[in-house]
Amino acid sequence: MSLATLDATQHPYLPAASATLFGAKAAKKLSFEQIAQHIGRNEVAAAAIFYGQAKASTEDIQKLAGLLDIPKPHLEEQLSGFPDRGRSVEMPPREPLIYRLYEIVQNYGYAYKAVLNEKFGDGIMSAISFSTKVEKEVDADGHPWAVITLRGKW
Amino acid sequence: MSLATLDATQHPYLPAASATLFGAKAAKKLSFEQIAQHIGRNEVAAAAIFYGQAKASTEDIQKLAGLLDIPKPHLEEQLSGFPDRGRSVEMPPREPLIYRLYEIVQNYGYAYKAVLNEKFGDGIMSAISFSTKVEKEVDADGHPWAVITLRGKW
Amino acid sequence: MSLATLDATQHPYLPAASATLFGAKAAKKLSFEQIAQHIGRNEVAAAAIFYGQAKASTEDIQKLAGLLDIPKPHLEEQLSGFPDRGRSVEMPPREPLIYRLYEIVQNYGYAYKAVLNEKFGDGIMSAISFSTKVEKEVDADGHPWAVITLRGKW
Amino acid sequence: MSLATLDATQHPYLPAASATLFGAKAAKKLSFEQIAQHIGRNEVAAAAIFYGQAKASTEDIQKLAGLLDIPKPHLEEQLSGFPDRGRSVEMPPREPLIYRLYEIVQNYGYAYKAVLNEKFGDGIMSAISFSTKVEKEVDADGHPWAVITLRGKW
Amino acid sequence: MSLATLDATQHPYLPAASATLFGAKAAKKLSFEQIAQHIGRNEVAAAAIFYGQAKASTEDIQKLAGLLDIPKPHLEEQLSGFPDRGRSVEMPPREPLIYRLYEIVQNYGYAYKAVLNEKFGDGIMSAISFSTKVEKEVDADGHPWAVITLRGKW
Amino acid sequence: MSLATLDATQHPYLPAASATLFGAKAAKKLSFEQIAQHIGRNEVAAAAIFYGQAKASTEDIQKLAGLLDIPKPHLEEQLSGFPDRGRSVEMPPREPLIYRLYEIVQNYGYAYKAVLNEKFGDGIMSAISFSTKVEKEVDADGHPWAVITLRGKW
Amino acid sequence: MSLATLDATQHPYLPAASATLFGAKAAKKLSFEQIAQHIGRNEVAAAAIFYGQAKASTEDIQKLAGLLDIPKPHLEEQLSGFPDRGRSVEMPPREPLIYRLYEIVQNYGYAYKAVLNEKFGDGIMSAISFSTKVEKEVDADGHPWAVITLRGKW
Amino acid sequence: MSLATLDATQHPYLPAASATLFGAKAAKKLSFEQIAQHIGRNEVAAAAIFYGQAKASTEDIQKLAGLLDIPKPHLEEQLSGFPDRGRSVEMPPREPLIYRLYEIVQNYGYAYKAVLNEKFGDGIMSAISFSTKVEKEVDADGHPWAVITLRGKW
Amino acid sequence: MSLATLDATQHPYLPAASATLFGAKAAKKLSFEQIAQHIGRNEVAAAAIFYGQAKASTEDIQKLAGLLDIPKPHLEEQLSGFPDRGRSVEMPPREPLIYRLYEIVQNYGYAYKAVLNEKFGDGIMSAISFSTKVEKEVDADGHPWAVITLRGKW
Amino acid sequence: MSLATLDATQHPYLPAASATLFGAKAAKKLSFEQIAQHIGRNEVAAAAIFYGQAKASTEDIQKLAGLLDIPKPHLEEQLSGFPDRGRSVEMPPREPLIYRLYEIVQNYGYAYKAVLNEKFGDGIMSAISFSTKVEKEVDADGHPWAVITLRGKW
């Protein structure tokens, strides 16, 4: 099984912590599933920390430092601030996998809005009081399906 | 309860069918939940037909014509072609509700990619062999949460 | 005193309600201060309804119809849906007054973020659970100052 | 409590002074509230100096050098010129917290203009003869609200 | 079987001939395969005439007028000029089917260039002295595959 | 015969593997035809690996390391992750050869869609379950023609 | 001598007053010099009213209505609101004469800033408390030179 | 008095000469007024040389080298070519002072064109056979006003 | 031989004169060569008048009115103002023929600059004191070559 | 006479060969006229090689290496691949001289198309089977004129 890695030459605007974390992940040959289990978060949230998109708690930092053999003060320093979100994906996304998600928003955006407004009234689904997860299903023919769930406060 | 409507001056590039369908929906005072139930599709798919983002089957057309009191030949003519998708949402979306979904892609795009690649290998989640639904949850404190599920073939 | 009007040729993407409301406002020669007082909302919220940026409640519609001599069913029909926000200002704004607000975000954005994060922790100030108002102050030298207050849930 | 930091790899176009100041702030573990108090400015103005968006006076430089243990001549040299504003936030902002402010301009821009014009006549609110502050309120339910005040000469 | 149609409200910048031709095609219930056969061109070339992307010869006009029951002088007038190409697809394409082709260029562009340059030397494949066709293949499992061939002079 | 090379100053966002592979290719003076033959893939697929657009299998890595005299662990490390596609070509492409392909999509996009939809029904040609090849033909007058074939699952 | 006119098909987003004023100007065959003299403003300010970029005072409206034979109530209605500036020139300007001014800003922007900052300290030249004029000079060789003066409050 | 400086991290695309010249200017603590006087050019032209927007004559180079204590051969080498103009200001300008000039073009562009065309006939004001200067005026109330004059050949 | 025509639905921003002139040209079945001969200008200049890119002199108007059977006062009115240039081609051009010219500028721009600067010193080739023509050459093999000459004052 | 040079900080995306060639040209104090004469190409073609826009033949490399005293193997290595065109000029060009050429395309694009189509039929002028040159003319008044000739296969 291949593991997700970070080629820093392709992502010059990610925080310094991303290089530290992905470097250690590659050295330790750990998947996000293993990392997530270890820090007690779901996989997407764990990966979001790696990409500088989520704030790591003091506890997360301690567990990550331990699991990944990164000196804790070093990791603390790199993760002590607040995430400067929005620097990983350039929009429109050129990466095909990410583009498919973008396309879903482009195509279904108003359909979601219409249904959500009728169900909840005027307002929005928060992207901040928000959690998301990825699951794998296999259908009767043995084909895998990816299931992404978005759950946000209204 | 308010119903989703279409103000055609705000969407000059939607297909002619959108105006027909939304006009009839407003006249009949029907929600997408009611329409979806009638045509046996989920709400988002029903709304997607209204916005020209999904192909209506012959059966859909017949049921919609009946429910909405639209002359069937007229609806058939307007819905007979293939959807010319991507004309409802301008990107980046200026509508706040839709922007939140866009922001989720922007912030979590690479986290999704990393987790999906580790779970499924190289590839993408299809946005075409794809279904999606919207659900409402209410938490212990009585706060509503919107749950959007995306399910696509790998 | 001049009143704010709407030149529809300059705003082809505003909802039909905007033309109705501004047309009646001009005919009645009413300021937003007077309108706001009548419907019991602050001025910016009142103006936001006129530009299609806020949802008018049933009560708002009734009061606006009365004050502006618009047939209530007509206004109800035009305002019955959900606001399709984001269609009034093109970004970056070319209008100088609006550009100054844009410039404040451009220049002070990260300063606000730094101070807000230190005061509130990670998160955002909501632009939805949100109110705003405009006030006029006159300094010792008789110069007017505009004061805009933004108040959003964390 | 976490403190706002600067990850220079994410902001390659900020002035050299930003790295100096944020580096010292992190080493001294000072919040903008403490810094602001020390230099006698409000917090946003203090943070704006750190991001190169406001001119530091001779007095500011002296106080900052003292508080942050930066050799004064070094800081003087880096802050001696005039701010080259507008290099911290890329527009549209990808950072969610900053985007919410941008969205407020996008949605309420013409509402502000209409109300301001009716209150003050033709003109603009200056973004230069201008001050701004951030305050924290807690409502009856214990929820925090952020209040941002913009005050500009007409 | 559904036929490709043109919803003119979605394509306001196509030439007048496009509306004429697609209108007649819908009325006659003809596929591009049938039209292509009739005028002795391949299907893509036939469709390209409908979208204003290829010049119709005098012979094409005569045959199209006959097949589609369009008064020949009317069609001649609309097709007499030179194609003003590039007005059908907005780039990047928002239509998912067309986006996939765009994505192929985005992803494989330099791979094509490297292989073509090594095979042909410095130069380009002409997009003008050029023909293209679409074919359908069905694999052993009964799945359809689309095959698009591009052939251009070096 | 000249060989395709990579001038890294022109492509700062390609993965580190691209520099490694192109450097070795130049040193060994190998064409993509030779490389493709050696690893048992077609030339475009081979070049796509060099540009970070396709995933190299364990077997590809072994063969490439052998052919190009690159230490296998080094290549494994650089190619172990998942391709971060879309970083080689900036859109619209400025390179004339690649622009011609872009132009074909721009001009024929809707013609392809119309013909594909009539042949296959609603849907898309996959750009992922996809293969492509380049061939050279010489016509009766001795002029070379480039033939590019795109084959994608419907 | 030719007179400046307005071809409304080229400027669909100008206010309705622009068409009224330019139509009357053409019918009366008046230059902006004559109009400016009549209303006691400089020519650029007069033209700015025609393009919807400056607020006409009650006195301006009265004089313009008289000079141009436009029914005063009609002009009052069209000019009663506040200018919605920024809708005449699309940026970057495609009109060569206007582009030259844009180019001056592009080329000399930082030179102006450096000189202005050294002369006036930190701040800006207002574009609102601002006047401008155009003059014609003829040099010794009989060549005409255009002189544009910008005067803004610091 | 503060002097204009150059923070090279904010202007990575300026020519090497800009860093040399601004570095020496800061070390010598010279204003552009002093530099301009020394080389016998106006201040804006002097600053334009520093930003790579104007060609320095052999005489300019000699005088600048002398005044600023830069080895003449070094300065000659850096200034020997032709200015590669347009690399200092990104458009639209984010710097507020420069934006105000941009806004003047955006708002008054067609007013200038109308007046210039009526005064000079068809044509343009050259931005190349062109000179410009900045002056300071103080009004009766002691307020400073900036006056920028643009003079270009017709 | 086909003649160049104007499909007004494709060019909504051209001046009203363009529709008048092209309509008459099509009715009279005249080529630009014939029109140019009649008015004593070269073909490109004649076509430029038709596209609103060049000012027609009083004499041009008289001759065009005569040749094309357009009532002279009508044409005078439509052509009396000053050209509002830059509204015919959207940049980057999507039309392949025009794109090729754009590509020449993109590829050879700096080569032209280097050679022109060395030949003429610092400065520009005017695009206003400028003439251009198109000629046809046939080479020894009978292949046609287009020759475009640009001649501008330095 | 000044010579064209390359300031590499202004052109970070040009190939490595550009720096090598321009560096040697500056050291040898050679004009493109002299270089062109030496390698037997016209000046624009010679400059195009320097900017990475044209392929140098084996003979060109040998002659350039000799003339410019560059070790031949070094130059061979840097020029052995195929030009990656389009990286020298950013569009729209900010450089005034290059912008004028861009403006000619923007203003005359459709006039060229109309005349070329009438002269040659449907098709394009190749930008690849193409040559171009720059000449200097001096008119009766002693004013220099630049003449650029574009010659492309139809």
Side-chain angles (χ1 to χ4, degrees), chain A residues 30-95:
Chain A
L30 292 167
S31 70
F32 277 118
E33 197 180 359
Q34 294 168 309
I35 293 167
Q37 233 162 1
H38 185 85
I39 65 170
R41 289 216 183 189
N42 85 47
E43 291 164 83
V44 182
I49 291 174
F50 276 58
Y51 281 105
Q53 301 298 313
K55 180 139 182 60
S57 66
T58 313
E59 203 181 7
D60 294 334
I61 294 175
Q62 183 167 336
K63 286 182 179 165
L64 285 169
L67 179 66
L68 296 166
D69 263 350
I70 304 171
K72 206 184 120 194
H74 182 56
L75 198 58
E76 263 174 347
E77 189 201 324
Q78 289 193 329
L79 290 175
S80 67
F82 297 94
D84 197 352
R85 293 175 173 90
R87 294 186 177 270
S88 55
V89 181
E90 221 166 333
M91 301 296 259
R94 287 178 286 180
E95 223 293 324

Side-chain angles (χ1 to χ4, degrees), chain I residues 1-5 11 22 25 30-33 43-45 47-48 51 53-54 85-93 95-98 100-120 123-139 143-154, chain J residues 1-5 11 22 25 30-33 43-45 47-48 51 53-54 85-93 95-98 100-120 123-139 143-154:
Chain I
M1 191 192 100
S2 291
L3 295 176
T5 58
H11 290 277
F22 271 104
K25 175 180 186 294
L30 291 167
S31 69
F32 277 118
E33 196 180 358
E43 290 164 84
V44 182
Y51 282 106
Q53 300 299 313
R85 293 177 173 91
R87 295 187 176 270
S88 55
V89 181
E90 221 165 333
M91 301 294 263
E95 224 293 325
L97 182 148
I98 301 174
R100 296 305 178 275
L101 302 175
Y102 173 92
E103 192 176 79
I104 289 166
V105 176
Q106 186 178 60
N107 291 359
Y108 292 94
Y110 272 104
Y112 286 132
K113 176 174 162 59
V115 171
L116 285 164
N117 279 163
E118 292 194 345
K119 271 193 155 43
F120 294 84
I124 58 157
M125 181 184 90
S126 177
I128 302 294
S129 297
F130 171 78
S131 68
T132 181
K133 64 183 173 190
V134 165
E135 287 159 312
K136 185 178 189 166
E137 293 183 4
V138 180
D139 66 17
H143 293 131
W145 291 72
V147 181
I148 298 178
T149 310
L150 317 173
R151 184 174 186 274
K153 205 172 185 178
W154 190 259
Chain J
M1 191 192 102
S2 291
L3 296 176
T5 59
H11 290 278
F22 271 104
K25 175 179 185 293
L30 291 167
S31 69
F32 277 118
E33 196 180 358
E43 290 164 84
V44 183
Y51 281 106
Q53 301 300 313
R85 293 174 173 92
R87 294 185 177 270
S88 55
V89 181
E90 219 165 334
M91 301 294 261
E95 224 294 323
L97 182 149
I98 301 175
R100 296 305 176 276
L101 303 176
Y102 173 92
E103 191 175 81
I104 289 166
V105 176
Q106 186 177 60
N107 291 359
Y108 292 93
Y110 272 104
Y112 286 132
K113 176 174 162 60
V115 172
L116 285 164
N117 280 163
E118 292 195 346
K119 270 193 154 44
F120 294 84
I124 58 157
M125 181 185 88
S126 178
I128 303 292
S129 299
F130 171 78
S131 67
T132 182
K133 65 181 173 191
V134 165
E135 288 160 312
K136 184 175 189 168
E137 293 183 4
V138 180
D139 66 17
H143 293 129
W145 290 73
V147 181
I148 298 178
T149 310
L150 317 172
R151 184 174 186 273
K153 205 172 186 177
W154 190 260

